[in-house]
Amino acid sequence: MELADQDGQFVIRTNRDSAVPDGTTRHLLASVAVDTIGNLDTLPVFDRSDRQIGLLIGTVVDTDRKAVLHDALRLDESLETGGDVDQFVENHVYRLAGSFLFVLDHGGRRRVYLDANGTKSLVYDPSSKLAGATATVLLDAPEYDSRLRHDLLDALGVRRGGTLPGGLTAHRGIFRLLCNHYLDLDSWDATRHWPKAGIAQTADVAATCRTIVTEVKNTIEALIKEGDVHVALTAGHDTRLVLACCRDFVDQITFVTLQVPGDGIDIQLAGELSEKFNLRHRVLPFVRTDSEEAERWQKRAGHAVCGPNMDLYAAVAPLKDCIFVGGACGEIGRGCIWFGATDATPIDARQMASRLKLPMHPEVIGTIENWLAPIDHLGSLLKLDLAYMELSIHCWVFVQSYTKPGHVEINPLISRRLFTAMLSLPPDVRLRNGMILRCIEEAWPDVASVPINRYGNWRDKTAKLRHAISDPRRAIRKARQLASILIG
């Protein structure tokens, strides 16, 4: 691939004395080298003794200061030899929002941590002792092609929009680091670091919802200080919550809706919201990505994903020079794959695959079994939430992190603080979109006056039928999913 197609990607090397590849910028840590390509922000991290202990890669938002960090992150604590590394990282790195990963290199401990949902995806090759953004920066062109697993891509329907869950990638010998796991750069093993126990249930639902609203507002306010912010506006619950959190600065934001063929509800409801609340609104017309650009898009993702976002890439190209704010991961607060489960519901690998609409392929079942083993002690509802976060959203949405060179995308509903707050809410609050609705009530109640995910008239009765006719495969997968869950 040309360097322009690797813009925003990086390679992590445990041999800091290796040759610096052409077109890259090297960042040296104690024993690790990080080579970045093109437009990619980096932030050195120093402890209280002014020792550099690591490097943050990506866009880092300090919600306490309502600011995007640029120069360095200086901590008020030192990481002592023999100290609890995971807790140190939780205290000082996971208090941050944005889209980033953290390379730790201090005291003989060398690890990579992702952000709360792994929005800066990472793959690694234990045989060559390299980690990086995608397989495209770890392998040369002949090896990239020879190690490409066409059999697995076909079996899991990746070219039709399917996913590679767990640590699976499109290439033999290349593995994906899941969010909530760190990669040890000495053993090349991935280990879960969060959560190590259940999430305590909040005693104050109202205060927890205020925390969620405040964190989202602070992230958006920080981004507004950086440049031209475009916020996604759809018919759905999560973007409605983000809209509500924009109440104090709607005059500084452009809201944007993508025109998708065959489904006009986003345009309809976004238009109603824009007219009613005097929003600056931009509609992006549908443009199908041509075949040559689609192939480049797939390579930027290491061939680990395909589907509708690839087809729509050309349509979102106008957002390149702005900061795009999305609504991903509000589903974490909505129990979206619970389907009647309780904490006592048995969850095995096949059951989990059904809930995630994954094929019953031996490698899929095996990787889910391996994923489940370390969290056997957790309640079933938390297992389901983690599965959606790690095996679904992370493995489908954020393997696309590097497909749009030059674009900045932040999802303000993603951070450890937010996820902990969402997961602490009682199940009866989270069901039926209760968390979203309570947060909207806290932030800007009036925006709920426009229906969410429905027209509010006769068209709602035919919407499901239209979707089934336009995408029968999706309807069949959904039916199989529900049937499998009902019969156990």
Side-chain angles (χ1 to χ4, degrees):
M1 293 180 67
E2 298 177 3
L3 279 174
D5 284 321
Q6 297 177 351
D7 186 15
Q9 300 201 38
F10 59 90
V11 179
I12 301 170
R13 306 174 189 275
T14 53
N15 178 8
R16 73 194 300 273
D17 298 322
S18 60
V20 181
D22 291 341
T24 68
T25 301
R26 174 152 292 181
H27 309 266
L28 292 175
L29 303 178
S31 63
V32 169
V34 179
D35 296 329
T36 59
I37 305 166
N39 183 28
L40 182 59
D41 291 332
T42 59
L43 197 71
V45 180
F46 298 92
D47 69 3
R48 185 174 58 187
S49 302
D50 206 33
R51 296 173 299 186
Q52 185 173 357
I53 63 170
L55 187 74
L56 284 159
I57 301 173
T59 304
V60 182
V61 180
D62 187 332
T63 55
D64 294 335
R65 293 169 50 190
K66 303 178 186 178
V68 175
L69 302 183
H70 291 291
D71 299 326
L73 177 64
R74 298 186 181 276
L75 309 180
D76 58 5
E77 184 181 355
S78 293
L79 177 57
E80 304 299 337
T81 302
D84 188 335
V85 179
D86 291 342
Q87 191 58 53
F88 182 89
V89 175
E90 283 294 326
N91 294 343
H92 297 288
V93 174
Y94 283 106
R95 72 174 185 82
L96 302 166
S99 179
F100 61 85
L101 54 79
F102 175 54
V103 184
L104 172 75
D105 185 9
H106 175 68
R109 289 170 287 192
R110 308 189 295 180
R111 300 178 180 180
V112 184
Y113 292 82
L114 305 179
D115 67 26
N117 214 149
T119 65
K120 285 291 183 188
S121 185
L122 181 92
V123 296
Y124 58 98
D125 183 351
S127 64
S128 63
K129 294 182 168 38
L130 293 175
T134 68
T136 56
V137 294
L138 300 186
L139 306 173
D140 61 27
E143 197 173 15
Y144 185 96
D145 292 337
S146 65
R147 290 169 67 173
L148 189 60
R149 295 197 58 188
H150 296 282
D151 59 333
L152 189 64
L153 297 179
D154 291 341
L156 302 189
V158 172
R159 295 183 178 92
R160 301 190 304 275
T163 62
L164 293 162
L168 298 176
T169 73
H171 291 83
R172 291 179 181 83
I174 303 289
F175 303 93
R176 185 169 304 285
L177 180 64
L178 298 182
C179 58
N180 304 323
H181 297 69
Y182 69 77
L183 175 64
D184 188 309
L185 294 175
D186 291 303
S187 68
W188 292 91
D189 292 327
T191 303
R192 177 177 291 278
H193 63 87
W194 187 90
K196 295 183 177 179
I199 307 296
Q201 188 167 297
T202 181
D204 191 337
V205 170
T208 301
C209 289
R210 281 196 296 274
T211 295
I212 294 170
V213 168
T214 299
E215 285 292 303
V216 175
K217 289 175 65 175
N218 289 355
T219 298
I220 295 170
E221 186 172 348
L223 296 173
I224 288 172
K225 298 173 184 176
E226 295 296 308
D228 181 17
V229 171
H230 279 53
V231 175
L233 189 60
T234 70
H237 287 85
D238 305 320
T239 58
R240 191 67 59 88
L241 170 55
V242 174
L243 167 62
C245 293
C246 293
R247 179 179 187 175
D248 295 338
F249 21 78
V250 288
D251 58 338
Q252 302 174 67
I253 290 170
T254 299
F255 294 87
V256 61
T257 307
L258 180 61
Q259 193 168 32
V260 179
D263 190 356
I265 192 168
D266 284 341
I267 299 295
Q268 172 77 25
L269 297 187
E272 290 182 24
L273 287 163
S274 300
E275 183 176 354
K276 187 168 187 176
F277 299 106
N278 196 29
L279 308 178
R280 185 164 61 232
H281 184 220
R282 179 181 182 185
V283 176
L284 296 181
F286 173 73
V287 180
R288 183 175 294 279
T289 306
D290 63 41
S291 58
E292 181 179 349
E293 188 58 45
E295 175 61 22
R296 292 159 67 93
W297 189 97
Q298 286 185 72
K299 285 185 177 179
R300 294 181 200 127
H303 274 85
V305 67
C306 196
N309 283 5
M310 179 184 72
D311 297 333
L312 297 171
Y313 169 68
V316 301
L319 300 179
K320 181 175 181 179
D321 295 325
C322 71
I323 300 170
F324 176 71
V325 174
C329 295
E331 302 98 326
I332 303 303
R334 298 198 270 125
C336 61
I337 61 167
W338 287 1
F339 302 127
T342 69
D343 261 340
T345 302
I347 305 290
D348 61 17
R350 297 184 70 84
Q351 174 85 194
M352 192 69 81
S354 291
R355 289 174 181 270
L356 296 172
K357 292 184 280 191
L358 296 171
M360 296 297 169
H361 186 276
E363 288 195 54
V364 170
I365 301 304
T367 197
I368 296 177
E369 287 175 343
N370 293 335
W371 177 86
L372 277 168
I375 58 172
D376 184 60
H377 61 291
L378 299 180
S380 294
L381 295 183
L382 182 53
K383 289 178 185 176
L384 292 171
D385 293 330
L386 292 173
Y388 188 80
M389 186 188 305
E390 299 173 17
L391 304 180
S392 181
I393 293 292
H394 175 70
C395 291
W396 183 69
V397 175
F398 298 124
V399 302
Q400 305 175 39
S401 301
Y402 311 100
T403 57
K404 300 188 288 293
H407 288 240
V408 176
E409 178 174 339
I410 303 294
N411 291 279
L413 292 172
I414 297 175
S415 75
R416 179 75 85 237
R417 285 179 178 174
L418 283 169
F419 284 173
T420 301
M422 291 177 188
L423 296 172
S424 75
L425 292 168
D428 62 328
V429 172
R430 296 171 62 194
L431 289 170
R432 294 176 294 280
N433 301 306
M435 181 273 289
I436 297 288
L437 298 176
R438 287 176 187 239
C439 289
I440 291 174
E441 181 68 24
E442 169 69 28
W444 193 0
D446 292 348
V447 298
S449 62
V450 174
I452 302 176
N453 259 347
R454 58 188 182 87
Y455 290 102
N457 57 32
W458 60 270
R459 285 179 291 182
D460 293 320
K461 296 181 180 180
T462 60
K464 289 184 178 179
L465 177 61
R466 289 200 310 272
H467 281 300
I469 293 172
S470 64
D471 191 356
R473 288 197 306 266
R474 184 177 183 275
I476 292 169
R477 287 199 307 271
K478 185 70 174 177
R480 287 175 177 168
Q481 173 196 43
L482 295 175
S484 176
I485 292 164
L486 289 172
I487 66 175

